Amino acid sequence: MNEIIHIYHTNDLHSHFEKWPRIREFLEGRRREHEAAGETCFLFDIGDHLDRSHPYTEATLGRGNTEILEEAGFDAVTIGNNEGITLAQPDLDRLYAGAAFPVVLGNLMYEDGSVPGWASAEAFLTTASGVRIGLIGATADFTSSYESLGWRVAKPGTWLADAAPEVKRQCDVLVCLSHMGSTADDRLAEEAGDAVDVILGAHTHHVYPEGRRIGKTLIGAAGKWGQYVGEVTLTVDTGTGEVIGSSATVYDTDTLVPPADDRSFDAGLRKEAAVLMGDPVFVNPSPLPGSWDHPSPLSKFFSDALRIHTNADCAMYNAGIFLGGLGEGGVSGMDLHELMPHPINPCIVLLNGTELEEAYELSLDPEWPEIRLRGLGFRGKVMGTMIHHRLCRAEDGRLMVGDRPVEPHAIYRLATLDLFTYGFFFPAFKQLPKEYYMPEFIRDVLREHAVRMFGRS
């Protein structure tokens, strides 16, 4: 006899809850259909379900996301970098405490090498006919960020390739939940040979409308932000446990039937977040207007906050991080989140005077302010003008840090944002020594400085 197994997968939702009612309704309906037909159905999420740019995720530190996955009946998940490196270690430990599903993750450990209690290096699910499904999973290698938060992270591709043969010996079908990215998934399929039957991919937001095959491995991927739901269908010989047929597809969520709460679901979560984060944090004595295209009172205030927090000599960042300003009076956690929703950490880059000169000149590119920046933690619209704090040209053309000219071989502490250390805007920053400040976000730095200056409300 043969058994049909349906695997539905989501990835990189990034808390785009406006898509979730259609996804939830679709998955619940498909599960009912398959059960009525005597077919097996599993639901997996491949990470980055949460994103602290959404106020509900921020207010619940992701626990709300876990509950949403539980309510939809997901059978297993792995984590992405948004779960792993935008939460403090205790908050990540709490994220899945008592979760109704296994968190399949083999490459994350505490500093002492022990595995967190909420994570499973492998998991097994059994169908009604006795076919045993093995699961392994891993998340992307953000070594420096994980180490700053007190974690150790192993190379995900190496870990999965080593684990696959042993786990495969314990099951009929091996499925990998991979938050590594498309290139790494291809490499795993090549290295693992026949051990991995299915790889469900994420992280690089790629879409495989009909799947991708490398050898005997079928790879599925469903894009980002809830735009698609993926499905992998397997036909398994129940006598031998062998996969004798497989296919993949994706469903565009815009084409799915909208449920009753299609428009109200996200709005309701935002209202709940406004209540949870509604208490004033400090009282602002005077307005701090912001601007994306020129320095402003808000950028001056934040520049001081950033320099003090990081003990920097100077600072440089983009004004597009400000999505408004701060009015006079009580400022709540919700106000701060709306102002700076980005999951961006402050960072110090250590560079000599010559390198600082080069970075300063690069930052003056007239095209940068209008760039519509997407990703890298940025959740605004345009990059905005570059703000330079204690960093400017004197009348004689010399670059000054504070009131002193830059010396070519002297070492300077430049405060900036982690998004500038990945090499896209300042290629040299990727290789230079850096200090990341985690788990605090830039809005936390602003909050800390305001409380220091004005006291708590």
Side-chain angles (χ1 to χ4, degrees), residues 158-182:
T158 302
W159 189 90
L160 290 168
D162 290 344
E166 175 58 30
V167 179
K168 177 67 173 183
R169 283 191 282 271
Q170 304 173 57
C171 62
D172 301 304
V173 179
L174 181 58
V175 178
C176 174
L177 312 184
S178 165
H179 198 92
M180 298 191 298
S182 58

Side-chain angles (χ1 to χ4, degrees), residues 240-426:
T240 64
E242 181 182 358
V243 176
I244 58 175
S246 62
S247 63
T249 190
V250 296
Y251 300 90
D252 186 337
T253 55
D254 285 340
T255 68
L256 301 180
V257 177
D261 62 347
D262 188 51
R263 294 185 178 275
S264 62
F265 183 76
D266 181 68
L269 296 180
R270 291 177 182 274
K271 287 181 180 178
E272 186 174 346
V275 173
L276 293 172
M277 297 193 293
D279 292 338
V281 178
F282 61 89
V283 176
N284 191 22
S286 59
L288 289 171
S291 174
W292 68 267
D293 62 355
H294 61 267
S296 65
L298 181 58
S299 67
K300 172 63 170 68
F301 188 81
F302 177 71
S303 295
D304 287 335
L306 184 61
R307 176 179 54 83
I308 293 170
H309 188 81
T310 59
N311 190 29
D313 299 306
C314 51
M316 183 169 65
Y317 60 91
N318 60 310
I321 60 173
F322 305 120
L323 305 190
L326 291 176
E328 181 178 348
V331 175
S332 69
M334 189 69 174
D335 293 329
L336 288 171
H337 189 272
E338 289 178 341
L339 177 70
M340 303 170 78
H342 330 278
I344 291 175
N345 304 102
C347 178
I348 282 288
V349 179
L350 299 172
L351 66 180
N352 64 36
T354 299
E355 293 162 337
L356 183 58
E357 285 264 9
E358 293 172 353
Y360 179 81
E361 284 301 311
L362 194 56
S363 74
L364 301 178
D365 189 324
E367 296 184 359
W368 282 13
E370 300 287 345
I371 291 175
R372 301 191 71 83
L373 183 59
R374 304 290 289 271
L376 303 177
F378 184 72
R379 302 295 185 258
K381 294 182 179 179
V382 296
M383 183 168 171
T385 193
M386 291 299 290
I387 301 296
H388 302 94
H389 178 62
R390 289 176 52 83
L391 186 64
C392 64
R393 290 280 182 203
E395 291 184 1
D396 62 5
R398 291 184 299 174
L399 185 64
M400 307 291 288
V401 169
D403 57 1
R404 296 187 176 186
V406 169
E407 300 292 338
H409 301 295
I411 300 299
Y412 297 92
R413 292 174 59 84
L414 173 68
T416 188
L417 315 180
D418 63 4
L419 73 89
F420 290 118
T421 67
Y422 303 130
F424 294 97
F425 293 98
F426 300 96

Side-chain angles (χ1 to χ4, degrees), residues 54 64 143 146 154 157 207 233 305 346 356 387:
H54 194 288
T143 300
Y146 276 114
V207 183
T233 303
L356 183 58
I387 301 296

Side-chain angles (χ1 to χ4, degrees), residues 184-207:
D185 290 344
D186 289 355
R187 189 179 305 118
L188 174 63
E190 293 166 355
E191 293 177 354
D194 297 341
V196 180
D197 297 287
V198 177
I199 297 174
L200 302 178
H203 186 51
T204 46
H205 300 176
H206 49 295
V207 183

